[in-house]
Amino acid sequence: MSKLLVIEVSPRFEFSVSRALAARFVENWKAAHPQGEVVSRDLATMNLPFVDLPWIGGAFSPPEQHTEEHLDAISLSNELIAELQSASDIVIATPMYNFTVPAVLKAYVDQIIRPGVTVSATYEGLVTGKTATVIVVTGGDFRPGAPFAAANAVGPYLQQALGFIGITDLDIVLACRTRMVDEGEVTITEFIVEHEEMIAAAAVRSFSPVAA
Ligand SMILES: Cc1cc2nc3c(=O)[nH]c(=O)nc-3n(C[C@H](O)[C@H](O)[C@H](O)COP(=O)(O)O)c2cc1C
């Protein structure tokens, strides 16, 4: 059965443009997958830990050497990886913070890249057969051709990190200039409508004809 994992990042909740766009993505995905399941992972509400010494000890040693401390440190990572592996489609809706991903999303990526679990000893990605869409929302203008387009590290970073673990079928949807919403030039509804077609196309691109 098709399963969509929705990863949300913004701490602005009802004011968040990335969350509003993710909701549109989910609506369109559901329409294309009436029997499909949607699972939500909200990084803004879960106090994701950073990698620490016990985590590294657990992640970089064989299971037979794991101590209780190691097992405890990597248990969330195991849970997040199982959730990721069980999804057929993944959508990540994220703001740009200081040209790259918010720290919580970096912390999530650090939890899901695990030698021997999501990437093999010979650097083969082990999270395969999935489609992924990243919705990147920015205050400024990073559209191709814009003066600061090359400063956008969000898409390239996620493409590299997710590709490393085998998630190579990746679409990046860029929704720029939310500053116009903050400054009252357009309403959030107008902004969403402007990007609706792009979001719908990305959601339908995720449609898998062999699944539900
Ligand atoms: C801490 C912080 C850093 C930000 N850094 C950037 C940035 O580097 N470039 C940019 O264009 N917008 C930046 N923004 C603006 C956000 O990307 C923009 O407000 C976006 O709409 C936030 O997503 P959200 O509406 O889903 O919360 C930043 C916002 C915050 C709060």
Side-chain angles (χ1 to χ4, degrees):
M1 193 179 74
S2 299
K3 194 194 250 192
L4 175 68
L5 173 61
V6 185
I7 300 173
E8 296 191 276
V9 177
S10 172
R12 297 204 309 146
F13 301 102
E14 69 267 34
F15 306 108
S16 163
V17 176
S18 59
R19 284 175 184 267
L21 291 174
R24 290 303 163 96
F25 185 100
V26 171
E27 274 169 31
N28 283 281
W29 186 91
K30 276 184 176 167
H33 303 78
Q35 310 297 320
E37 186 188 345
V38 178
V39 173
S40 170
R41 173 57 65 179
D42 196 332
L43 306 186
T45 58
M46 64 176 291
N47 289 324
L48 258 176
F50 294 148
V51 161
D52 59 10
L53 188 57
W55 191 98
I56 294 167
F60 290 86
S61 63
E64 60 274 16
Q65 289 175 16
H66 285 168
T67 64
E68 282 301 313
E69 193 185 32
H70 291 150
L71 290 172
D72 195 39
I74 61 173
S75 70
L76 175 63
S77 166
N78 289 339
E79 188 190 319
L80 295 173
I81 290 168
E83 182 177 76
L84 191 65
Q85 287 285 22
S86 78
S88 55
D89 302 315
I90 301 147
V91 61
I92 302 176
T94 183
M96 171 189 281
Y97 278 1
N98 302 314
F99 306 103
T100 186
V101 295
V104 285
L105 183 50
K106 175 60 165 64
Y108 175 82
V109 170
D110 288 346
Q111 293 289 338
I112 60 166
I113 299 186
R114 283 263 306 278
V117 181
T118 55
V119 61
S120 78
T122 53
Y123 302 115
E124 247 178 298
L126 302 175
V127 187
T128 54
K130 303 180 189 311
T131 74
T133 306
V134 178
I135 302 171
V136 183
V137 174
T138 72
D141 192 357
F142 295 87
R143 293 173 297 176
F148 294 104
N152 173 9
V154 182
Y157 164 67
L158 288 174
Q159 191 159 29
Q160 177 62 43
L162 297 176
F164 186 56
I165 58 171
I167 303 174
T168 51
D169 185 355
L170 181 81
D171 259 2
I172 296 174
V173 179
L174 198 52
C176 294
R177 298 188 300 159
T178 60
R179 194 180 294 145
M180 294 189 307
V181 178
D182 298 336
E183 290 172 0
E185 272 179 59
V186 298
T187 64
I188 186 164
T189 309
E190 286 165 342
F191 188 91
I192 301 306
V193 167
E194 202 182 305
H195 293 85
E196 212 153 37
E197 214 173 298
M198 204 161 64
I199 294 290
V204 172
R205 194 277 290 157
S206 297
F207 176 64
S208 160
V210 289

